[in-house]
């Protein structure tokens, strides 16, 4: 991925940026630009599409964190997006800042508008501008990793209980093919006790942790076909993300895994790091409906995050073929 020295330099710079943009990324209503020379930071930029307008934002890393949160706040919204230019040495973003109150209102509306979408155009890159992935052994399960991951997904667990409340039925199968510690999918079992909870992970160590909550958790390659096609009413996809998979692998994984969704069933797509596939495009390609794409952190209106709820129409058959290109 990148060296410890590189990581420390990135974090130092992020702290400086966080302090420097406390009052915004430029002068309100005056076109501005922002140059990003660090390939490590490009995955922090996002585009928010809402009501025919596109907004540019950048995740910030405040004191107390060593990585960007999955939650986007009004301070991270830079302004209306006017374009960008990319070279091997830098990316220049063009935008027009708007008043802070308007930025907050935009995020609040996005959480309520089912057509709103958040896109992260860049994966995590290393110093050579190649995709950077967390080494596989990091995901191999430890109490320390569990302690880090579980608290940082509380907003995901709360959002899932809300969006699924009106769509799950007694006896439905809820399946997480990359369950990690099992904390997320077991929370769905607590919210919907009449559902059947299934969980698997490619890491045997993670499955051992998950079995404390889900005794039947099993080891399986989450990118394969770990259960029968069209057998799942709620599919949890929370690993098609930057740093976890390459962009091409994430796209292929999406196309393969959505075949598990039964007619009338749903999928949740989200993660600690940005979702890599262009979900709306792929959902349409695979015959799925996008019911919503943005959720708000519980107790807030203008702190939002990627959280896709997809549905396979009840009268639709699975898309069993996939194009050869992304």
């Amino acid at each position: 991925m990148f060296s410890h020295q590189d990581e420390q330099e990135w974090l130092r710079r992020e702290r400086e940026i966080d302090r420097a943009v406390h009052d915004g990324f430029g002068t309100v209503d005056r076109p501005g630009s922002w140059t990003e020379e660090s390939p490590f930071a490009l995955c922090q930029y996002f585009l928010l599409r809402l009501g025919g307008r596109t907004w540019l934002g950048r995740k910030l890393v405040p004191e107390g964190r060593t990585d960007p949160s999955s939650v986007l706040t009004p301070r991270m919204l830079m302004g209306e997006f006017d374009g960008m230019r990319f070279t091997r040495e830098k990316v220049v973003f063009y935008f027009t800042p708007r008043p802070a109150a308007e930025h907050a209102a935009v995020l609040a509306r996005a959480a309520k508008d089912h057509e709103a979408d958040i896109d992260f155009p860049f994966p995590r890159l290393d110093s050579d501008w190649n995709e950077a992935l967390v080494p596989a052994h990091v995901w191999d399960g430890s109490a320390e990793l569990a302690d880090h991951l579980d608290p940082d997904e509380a907003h995901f667990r709360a959002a899932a209980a809300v969006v699924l409340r009106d769509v799950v039925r007694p006896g439905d199968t809820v399946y997480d093919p990359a369950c990690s510690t099992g904390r997320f999918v077991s929370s769905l079992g607590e919210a919907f006790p009449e559902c059947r909870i299934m969980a698997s992970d490619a890491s045997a160590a993670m499955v051992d942790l998950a079995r404390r909550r889900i005794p039947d958790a099993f080891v399986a390659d989450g990118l394969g076909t770990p259960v029968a096609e069209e057998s799942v009413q709620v599919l949890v996809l929370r690993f098609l993300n930057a740093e976890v998979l390459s962009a091409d692998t994430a796209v292929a994984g999406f196309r393969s895994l959505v075949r598990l969704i039964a007619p009338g069933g749903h999928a949740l797509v989200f993660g600690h790091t940005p979702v890599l596939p262009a979900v709306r495009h792929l959902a349409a390609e695979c015959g799925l409906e996008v019911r919503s794409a943005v959720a708000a952190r519980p107790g807030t209106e203008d702190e939002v995050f990627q959280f896709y709820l997809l549905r396979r129409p009840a009268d639709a058959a699975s898309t069993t073929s996939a194009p050869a290109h992304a």
Side-chain angles (χ1 to χ4, degrees):
M1 194 168 164
F2 48 87
S3 71
H4 178 72
Q5 181 177 352
D6 288 336
E7 186 173 16
Q8 292 304 303
E9 174 59 25
W10 164 79
L11 185 57
R12 182 195 63 77
R13 181 171 176 270
E14 287 301 314
R15 297 275 168 74
E16 290 179 353
I17 290 173
D18 180 62
R19 292 189 291 267
V21 301
H22 185 271
D23 296 320
F25 285 82
T27 303
V28 171
D29 295 333
R30 290 185 58 182
S33 65
W34 181 275
T35 299
E36 183 57 69
E37 298 179 350
S38 168
F40 308 143
L42 280 175
C43 68
Q44 294 165 224
Y45 291 85
F46 61 91
L47 298 175
L48 169 64
R49 297 183 177 88
L50 174 69
R53 300 165 75 182
T54 301
W55 299 79
L56 173 68
R58 186 189 194 280
K59 285 187 176 185
L60 300 171
V61 185
E63 293 290 341
R65 290 197 65 94
T66 58
D67 58 349
S69 171
S70 56
V71 176
L72 311 178
T73 66
R75 283 189 61 229
M76 299 178 188
L77 210 59
M78 302 169 76
E80 285 199 71
F81 180 60
D82 297 324
M84 64 181 170
R85 291 295 179 267
F86 182 98
T87 72
R88 188 169 177 81
E89 290 77 28
K90 63 186 178 181
V91 179
V92 182
F93 298 91
Y94 300 95
F95 59 97
T96 302
R98 301 303 183 194
E102 185 174 355
H103 287 188
V106 164
L107 293 187
R109 288 200 306 272
K112 300 172 183 176
D113 188 333
H114 290 180
E115 298 299 319
D117 211 338
I118 298 169
D119 179 45
F120 288 83
F122 300 99
R124 184 70 146 170
L125 301 173
D126 63 19
S127 56
D128 294 320
W129 296 71
N130 298 314
E131 285 189 74
L133 304 181
V134 172
H137 67 81
V138 172
W139 308 112
D140 223 11
S142 70
E144 292 78 13
L145 182 61
D147 289 343
H148 173 71
L149 293 178
D150 288 349
D152 218 22
E153 69 173 22
H155 53 289
F156 294 136
R157 297 193 292 268
V162 171
V163 301
L164 294 176
R165 184 170 51 207
D166 296 327
V167 303
V168 298
R169 299 290 181 268
D172 280 356
T173 295
V174 179
Y175 177 45
D176 186 344
C179 67
S180 183
T181 66
R183 179 68 181 92
F184 179 83
V185 73
S186 68
S187 74
L188 295 184
E190 295 165 5
F192 308 107
E194 294 181 328
C195 289
R196 177 193 181 201
I197 302 299
M198 292 179 61
S200 66
D201 199 279
S203 165
M206 277 295 192
V207 169
D208 284 342
L209 287 174
R211 283 175 177 155
R212 301 175 186 178
R213 298 183 172 103
I214 308 154
D216 294 333
F218 58 97
V219 178
D221 177 7
L223 292 171
T225 308
V227 299
E229 293 187 7
E230 299 191 357
S231 66
V232 175
Q233 281 72 41
V234 178
L235 177 66
V236 177
L237 298 178
R238 60 193 191 98
F239 72 117
L240 307 180
N241 300 81
E243 301 182 60
V244 181
L245 301 174
S246 71
D248 287 347
T249 301
V251 169
F254 180 96
R255 288 179 175 142
S256 175
L257 285 165
V258 297
R259 299 174 183 176
L260 307 182
I261 306 170
H266 295 76
L268 298 175
V269 186
F270 62 96
H272 288 273
T273 56
V275 175
L276 288 170
V279 175
R280 282 191 183 273
H281 175 83
L282 286 175
E285 175 189 293
C286 297
L288 305 176
E289 304 166 349
V290 179
R291 306 301 295 272
S292 59
V294 181
R297 187 205 291 267
T300 74
E301 291 186 346
D302 58 9
E303 296 185 9
V304 305
F305 49 96
Q306 284 182 310
F307 199 76
Y308 291 92
L309 175 66
L310 311 180
R311 179 179 182 271
R312 180 179 298 287
D315 57 353
S318 290
T319 300
T320 55
S321 61
H325 58 279

